[in-house]
Amino acid sequence: MPVGRQARGRGRGQNCFSILGAMPTTDRVPVSTGGPGFDLQAAHINKSVETADPDEYPLERFSQRAPIQRNHHQSSSQEPAPILRLNTAIREYVRGTTNPGLDPPFIHQPEIPSSDEISVLADGTEQEVPVNHITGAWASKQNYLSDHYALLREDGVAPLRNVVSELKARPNTLEQDSVEQSQIYEKVFIVGLTFAHGGVAAKVTFSLRRTGKKIIWEQSKRLLQGTLVALTPADDMFQTICKVAVVAARPLSGVQSNPPAIDIFFGDPNDIEIDPQQEWVMVESSRGYFEAYRHTLKSLQRIAMESFPFAEYIVDVGQDVRPPHYVEQQPFKDMSSVFQSASRNYTHVDILSGDWPTDATSNLDASQLDALRRILTKQLAIIQGPPGTGKTHVSIVALKVLLENKRHDDPPIIVAAHTNHALDQLLRHIAPIESKFIRLGGMTSDHEIIKPRTLYEIKQATKSGVVSGGARGPALAGMRTLVKEMQALLKPLTEGKPLDEDILKAYRILTEGQCKSVLKGAEKWVDTSLPDSMTTAMHKWAGEELVEANRRTQAEDYGFDYEEVDLEYEQLKELEAEGKVGSGDDDNELLRGERLAFSEPWTGREGRSKEDWDALLRTTNDLWQIAPESRGPLYRHMQQRLKEIMTGQMRRLMAVYERRVTELKIGKWEVDTNYLKESKLIGCTLTGISKYRALLHSLQPKIVLIEEAAETLEAQTTAACFDSLEHLILVGDHQQLRGQCNEQQLQGEPWFLDVSMFERLVHNQVGFTQLSRQRRMHPEIRSGLMPIYPNLEDHPSVALRPRVPGMGPLHTYFFSHDWPEDTDDLMSKVNRTEADMVVNFFNYLIKNGAKTKDITVLTFYNGQRKLILSNLRRHANLQGEVFKVVTVDSYQGEENGIVLLSLVRSNADKQIGFLSVRNRVCVALSRAQQGFYIFGDAALLSRTSRLWLKVIEVMSENPRRLGLVLPLTCQNHQITTYAKDPGYFHTNSGGCEKACGGELPCGHGCVLKCHPFSHIDVFCHAPCSRKLICGHGCDEPCYAPCRCPCEPAGRNPSKLQTTTMPIPSFPSNSDAYRSKKGDGSRGRSSPTKGAGGSPGLTPSQSPPKEAYRFSGGHSQALMELTPEAQAFRDFADGGYVAADAAAANSAADVAAKERHRKLDADNHAALFGNDEGELMTTSLVPHTNELRLTTSRQARDGTIRNVYEGSYSSLVAGRSGKKQEPSLLDLD
């Protein structure tokens, strides 16, 4: 961990709270760099700008007309918009005042890290980071805030700073060789600007050469909106220049193009660059995401300038917690929704006195009632809820009481959670008791309940209002004026023609006499190489010395290799949500605003130094006297000088534009506050509390409730302490997952950054209540948590959990092995044999009637997650299913009926990695309701971890639930067999070793071993023996359609002598059965009943067409798959690059479909080429319908290649129809 002096970086020229002042409607920035007499408007006033399609960008355009009031629900009568009240608290909050002489230094740190802050340690010095005091009181409020600010900022900035240091030391580093997990993009060029409401963004193109692979952008964390990046000139490589920027937008249409493109905001107006010929290198860190901290850091700065509620508990760790002030004023509350009694009315209960009901009937248990009382009667209420104890339920009951007792003039209650997923879960519980809540932020996956209650949707459904005296109108007007000035300033870079001599004169690069000499000499020349509109006197003067400027990112091809996806889909979506800058559906990744494209096609060759050319211009009045070979380099010098002057002017305009952006944000919030104050409850993430703190502060909130408060970093909870706050409720469990840091060293002593405020206060004996009765886990599963929760009790209902089919009385078991672990390409731990064992056991449970939706596979390592998920998708019996395979870190707060836990670690070095983290182990052991089965090296764990030793001891007690073999219990005979490795399952049909001996519907005997599924689902391979009407006997297998041997072209049903022909279901390649969709059995049943209750078809019927299609779902072709078809199947099952996203989304979107189409075309061309020496013939594929076409190609060397083209369908539960996606494969 760095340990040296902490550097103070330069900011944006002024502190982040005093940048605003009284702004006039328009601003003109003096353009003094051009010298006396400079007139930019006179030099060029024609607008040259690429304007976005109004339909694509529906917000107000930057133009001279008045902004349009958008309202999709507005009637055609054009009724005047209502006048809304102006809340000046927002502008007062944002503009806040500081005192540079008295304020602590951290208050004046810039919001975005400065270039100096990122590059200051590149010389090898170390960073000084303050110690976090988790025991005892802090010295003062300012020490507490400044130290947590420094810790959080270091965690956010250090990953990028380390990348910059690495590139400075080793400029040619490739991503695969980086020790700092650098992500490096070269050939970066600025190709345009977008004048958006959020700032002026530079559009850049870049090369992925140092990545060397194609990127699956839909599933990639790279360059997410809000990511911090650093840029340096390609010829400098951070030796002297480092510019910091934030990704403004990453639309898929941009990054999927070739070359890819994104938009960035420069962190400092003085860093903006506009030279389209300058080549840059851009880097980011794969470990950090600064956007998650950015707004929290700003909130800590603000809190330092205002009163800090609850400092006596948070800073001084006082243990005597008083009631909220509003409760002391009015302690009588309506508690009738909690207590019921025939002899007493609970509508007027004094909750601060001894009047609290003790003998009334309630749906809450004793510990939950204690928790409810603490929530209602303590300023700072801390509730610890072990797994399954109903802490969310207690929160909802408490919120119901608070809402029922809320006065009409009270501000809204704010509820928050760490993630969008957790917030949606909480709001779904709240909706039945308070339907008119408002959700801040539009990143919700619940489109039925939550989406209509987002602030954006509510504003869309009502008539837009106007705030009289608001900041929005003046801010927009000022921005429009600035945009016109910037467009005029940059006109020479957008015209696409050589420089005009008038421009050079206006910028004092050429004198009037030099310009006249150029014009006079040009009259004698005629240039036919360019149209007249593109020809200037300077172009004629330079002549052939002008060269085409080819400094741009080129298209590239990286073949077939794709970057491995190393992030779970839900984790990626949470990161994307952090980067959104607004509060609704308008927060997509398309940057709105007028766009300006750079076009500078001509330049000159490089020549002498800048000083030499300046001296030449000072001494030469007639430019035609300059030697022709020197004119190109001189033109290049004048071009560079012009861009230097324009860059300086652009930076001045940018500083004013940023102030307009802040004013516009104030104006938007002045409208929003009128909607929020009418609601009773507001929900947002903890990041949202910081992001919208000015807006929420204007409401003067009194009550804040935070769910999963132990999973957040302390600073994020501190940001929720508004100066008006009277009541803070923290609900969570510090025994489960902690907050996550970018820098692992900051998690340990002495920084303890991952310790939440919740955990710190509990350990310092600040009062809290622990829930004690769990309602999730079967008692056998709960017993494994005894080392962590020794006093956890079972609700009687959990003992009634049903048995897991195929496992007899065992609700939990630890299968121990010594199969060695391995490491994947991304250095994540994997255990391939253990993964095979888990997948085969998963299939065994499915055979016995379990449903895939009821099984979750957990693991501590992302590499193992990907391996198990891939093996499940490739399993012959599990095609078309959607699986839940997740890491422990992403499963907090979730549960399922059956959980399989893959521990991975098994080595001789006694290393167990993540398995040693107590909080992670707690989460892993507590997710299952009905069945919990662990796969790992119990001997290693018992030797290296005291916690695991205690868990293993509990599981070794009677009944013993640990061993070197896995007990499986046959449902038919109740016989237990034992699986010791994955190979056991290859011959197991889901039952015991006995022969079935039953009779199939066709009358033949079943040849399988004992199996739990119905005989309807079994193929009969016995000879058919039916006699056909032609007199021949059918020699097909019993399950196949009868065919007359005398008609080889196909069967003729009219010649059958039998009245019905049983058509059983289509078998699996491995164990001759398939599954019925929607129930626990395997296979497809036929539409009618034949003899013996079997399904059958009448002679005039033929099997459904789907039976003959190659399918990734439950159907199979009637014939055995050929080796070629099986190879194609393997490719289709395992070769999809977007498999993770398809499983999570249930269907690929339009963009993904288009990407697959392009990919197949690229693969076809790359595999087979288009050589003239190849001969191509086309014929139908024999023996199968799913491979529709084969192409035989004869190369010049005489070799023949067969190409099969086909498709597979995936039947997703709950959806009708089939989705087909094309694939190509050279099978030879």
Side-chain angles (χ1 to χ4, degrees), residues 196-209:
H197 285 183
V200 178
K203 182 177 182 180
V204 298
T205 57
F206 55 92
S207 165
L208 295 169
R209 187 190 72 84

PDB file of all heavy atoms in Angstrom, residues 196-209:
ATOM      1  N   ALA A 196     -23.642  18.878 -25.213  1.00  0.00           N
ATOM      2  CA  ALA A 196     -24.748  18.238 -24.509  1.00  0.00           C
ATOM      3  C   ALA A 196     -25.111  19.025 -23.261  1.00  0.00           C
ATOM      4  O   ALA A 196     -24.372  19.898 -22.814  1.00  0.00           O
ATOM      5  CB  ALA A 196     -24.380  16.807 -24.139  1.00  0.00           C
ATOM      6  N   HIS A 197     -26.259  18.678 -22.681  1.00  0.00           N
ATOM      7  CA  HIS A 197     -26.679  19.318 -21.442  1.00  0.00           C
ATOM      8  C   HIS A 197     -25.772  18.952 -20.281  1.00  0.00           C
ATOM      9  O   HIS A 197     -25.757  19.649 -19.267  1.00  0.00           O
ATOM     10  CB  HIS A 197     -28.117  18.924 -21.120  1.00  0.00           C
ATOM     11  CG  HIS A 197     -29.126  19.610 -21.980  1.00  0.00           C
ATOM     12  ND1 HIS A 197     -30.482  19.451 -21.816  1.00  0.00           N
ATOM     13  CD2 HIS A 197     -28.975  20.463 -23.031  1.00  0.00           C
ATOM     14  CE1 HIS A 197     -31.125  20.178 -22.714  1.00  0.00           C
ATOM     15  NE2 HIS A 197     -30.229  20.786 -23.463  1.00  0.00           N
ATOM     16  N   GLY A 198     -25.041  17.858 -20.405  1.00  0.00           N
ATOM     17  CA  GLY A 198     -24.138  17.458 -19.329  1.00  0.00           C
ATOM     18  C   GLY A 198     -22.729  17.984 -19.500  1.00  0.00           C
ATOM     19  O   GLY A 198     -21.887  17.788 -18.626  1.00  0.00           O
ATOM     20  N   GLY A 199     -22.431  18.638 -20.614  1.00  0.00           N
ATOM     21  CA  GLY A 199     -21.096  19.167 -20.858  1.00  0.00           C
ATOM     22  C   GLY A 199     -20.729  19.009 -22.316  1.00  0.00           C
ATOM     23  O   GLY A 199     -21.494  18.474 -23.134  1.00  0.00           O
ATOM     24  N   VAL A 200     -19.540  19.488 -22.662  1.00  0.00           N
ATOM     25  CA  VAL A 200     -19.029  19.329 -24.024  1.00  0.00           C
ATOM     26  C   VAL A 200     -18.207  18.053 -24.059  1.00  0.00           C
ATOM     27  O   VAL A 200     -17.193  17.934 -23.357  1.00  0.00           O
ATOM     28  CB  VAL A 200     -18.174  20.532 -24.445  1.00  0.00           C
ATOM     29  CG1 VAL A 200     -17.607  20.315 -25.847  1.00  0.00           C
ATOM     30  CG2 VAL A 200     -18.993  21.815 -24.408  1.00  0.00           C
ATOM     31  N   ALA A 201     -18.653  17.084 -24.843  1.00  0.00           N
ATOM     32  CA  ALA A 201     -18.001  15.782 -24.904  1.00  0.00           C
ATOM     33  C   ALA A 201     -17.195  15.662 -26.187  1.00  0.00           C
ATOM     34  O   ALA A 201     -17.639  16.105 -27.257  1.00  0.00           O
ATOM     35  CB  ALA A 201     -19.035  14.660 -24.829  1.00  0.00           C
ATOM     36  N   ALA A 202     -16.030  15.056 -26.078  1.00  0.00           N
ATOM     37  CA  ALA A 202     -15.193  14.794 -27.244  1.00  0.00           C
ATOM     38  C   ALA A 202     -15.423  13.357 -27.691  1.00  0.00           C
ATOM     39  O   ALA A 202     -15.351  12.428 -26.888  1.00  0.00           O
ATOM     40  CB  ALA A 202     -13.723  15.012 -26.900  1.00  0.00           C
ATOM     41  N   LYS A 203     -15.697  13.185 -28.975  1.00  0.00           N
ATOM     42  CA  LYS A 203     -15.845  11.840 -29.527  1.00  0.00           C
ATOM     43  C   LYS A 203     -14.480  11.349 -29.968  1.00  0.00           C
ATOM     44  O   LYS A 203     -13.767  12.032 -30.700  1.00  0.00           O
ATOM     45  CB  LYS A 203     -16.809  11.837 -30.711  1.00  0.00           C
ATOM     46  CG  LYS A 203     -17.051  10.446 -31.294  1.00  0.00           C
ATOM     47  CD  LYS A 203     -18.062  10.489 -32.422  1.00  0.00           C
ATOM     48  CE  LYS A 203     -18.329   9.092 -32.965  1.00  0.00           C
ATOM     49  NZ  LYS A 203     -19.323   9.116 -34.070  1.00  0.00           N
ATOM     50  N   VAL A 204     -14.092  10.169 -29.500  1.00  0.00           N
ATOM     51  CA  VAL A 204     -12.783   9.615 -29.844  1.00  0.00           C
ATOM     52  C   VAL A 204     -12.948   8.233 -30.449  1.00  0.00           C
ATOM     53  O   VAL A 204     -13.821   7.454 -30.044  1.00  0.00           O
ATOM     54  CB  VAL A 204     -11.854   9.541 -28.602  1.00  0.00           C
ATOM     55  CG1 VAL A 204     -11.603  10.926 -28.035  1.00  0.00           C
ATOM     56  CG2 VAL A 204     -12.425   8.623 -27.530  1.00  0.00           C
ATOM     57  N   THR A 205     -12.129   7.934 -31.430  1.00  0.00           N
ATOM     58  CA  THR A 205     -12.018   6.572 -31.970  1.00  0.00           C
ATOM     59  C   THR A 205     -10.732   5.972 -31.432  1.00  0.00           C
ATOM     60  O   THR A 205      -9.794   6.687 -31.068  1.00  0.00           O
ATOM     61  CB  THR A 205     -12.000   6.586 -33.497  1.00  0.00           C
ATOM     62  OG1 THR A 205     -10.914   7.412 -33.947  1.00  0.00           O
ATOM     63  CG2 THR A 205     -13.307   7.133 -34.057  1.00  0.00           C
ATOM     64  N   PHE A 206     -10.679   4.643 -31.396  1.00  0.00           N
ATOM     65  CA  PHE A 206      -9.516   4.006 -30.797  1.00  0.00           C
ATOM     66  C   PHE A 206      -9.311   2.618 -31.374  1.00  0.00           C
ATOM     67  O   PHE A 206     -10.201   2.042 -32.019  1.00  0.00           O
ATOM     68  CB  PHE A 206      -9.651   3.920 -29.273  1.00  0.00           C
ATOM     69  CG  PHE A 206     -10.904   3.236 -28.791  1.00  0.00           C
ATOM     70  CD1 PHE A 206     -10.921   1.876 -28.536  1.00  0.00           C
ATOM     71  CD2 PHE A 206     -12.070   3.961 -28.592  1.00  0.00           C
ATOM     72  CE1 PHE A 206     -12.079   1.246 -28.085  1.00  0.00           C
ATOM     73  CE2 PHE A 206     -13.227   3.344 -28.147  1.00  0.00           C
ATOM     74  CZ  PHE A 206     -13.232   1.989 -27.894  1.00  0.00           C
ATOM     75  N   SER A 207      -8.111   2.097 -31.137  1.00  0.00           N
ATOM     76  CA  SER A 207      -7.731   0.770 -31.608  1.00  0.00           C
ATOM     77  C   SER A 207      -7.641  -0.195 -30.435  1.00  0.00           C
ATOM     78  O   SER A 207      -7.251   0.185 -29.330  1.00  0.00           O
ATOM     79  CB  SER A 207      -6.373   0.839 -32.323  1.00  0.00           C
ATOM     80  OG  SER A 207      -5.810  -0.457 -32.487  1.00  0.00           O
ATOM     81  N   LEU A 208      -7.985  -1.452 -30.687  1.00  0.00           N
ATOM     82  CA  LEU A 208      -7.916  -2.512 -29.682  1.00  0.00           C
ATOM     83  C   LEU A 208      -6.696  -3.403 -29.895  1.00  0.00           C
ATOM     84  O   LEU A 208      -6.673  -4.546 -29.451  1.00  0.00           O
ATOM     85  CB  LEU A 208      -9.190  -3.360 -29.721  1.00  0.00           C
ATOM     86  CG  LEU A 208     -10.482  -2.654 -29.334  1.00  0.00           C
ATOM     87  CD1 LEU A 208     -11.685  -3.521 -29.679  1.00  0.00           C
ATOM     88  CD2 LEU A 208     -10.495  -2.295 -27.864  1.00  0.00           C
ATOM     89  N   ARG A 209      -5.661  -2.873 -30.560  1.00  0.00           N
ATOM     90  CA  ARG A 209      -4.512  -3.704 -30.892  1.00  0.00           C
ATOM     91  C   ARG A 209      -3.871  -4.317 -29.651  1.00  0.00           C
ATOM     92  O   ARG A 209      -3.495  -5.491 -29.648  1.00  0.00           O
ATOM     93  CB  ARG A 209      -3.468  -2.888 -31.650  1.00  0.00           C
ATOM     94  CG  ARG A 209      -2.301  -3.739 -32.170  1.00  0.00           C
ATOM     95  CD  ARG A 209      -1.181  -2.882 -32.704  1.00  0.00           C
ATOM     96  NE  ARG A 209      -0.469  -2.212 -31.627  1.00  0.00           N
ATOM     97  CZ  ARG A 209       0.516  -2.769 -30.914  1.00  0.00           C
ATOM     98  NH1 ARG A 209       0.885  -4.011 -31.144  1.00  0.00           N
ATOM     99  NH2 ARG A 209       1.121  -2.088 -29.947  1.00  0.00           N
TER     100      ARG A 209
END
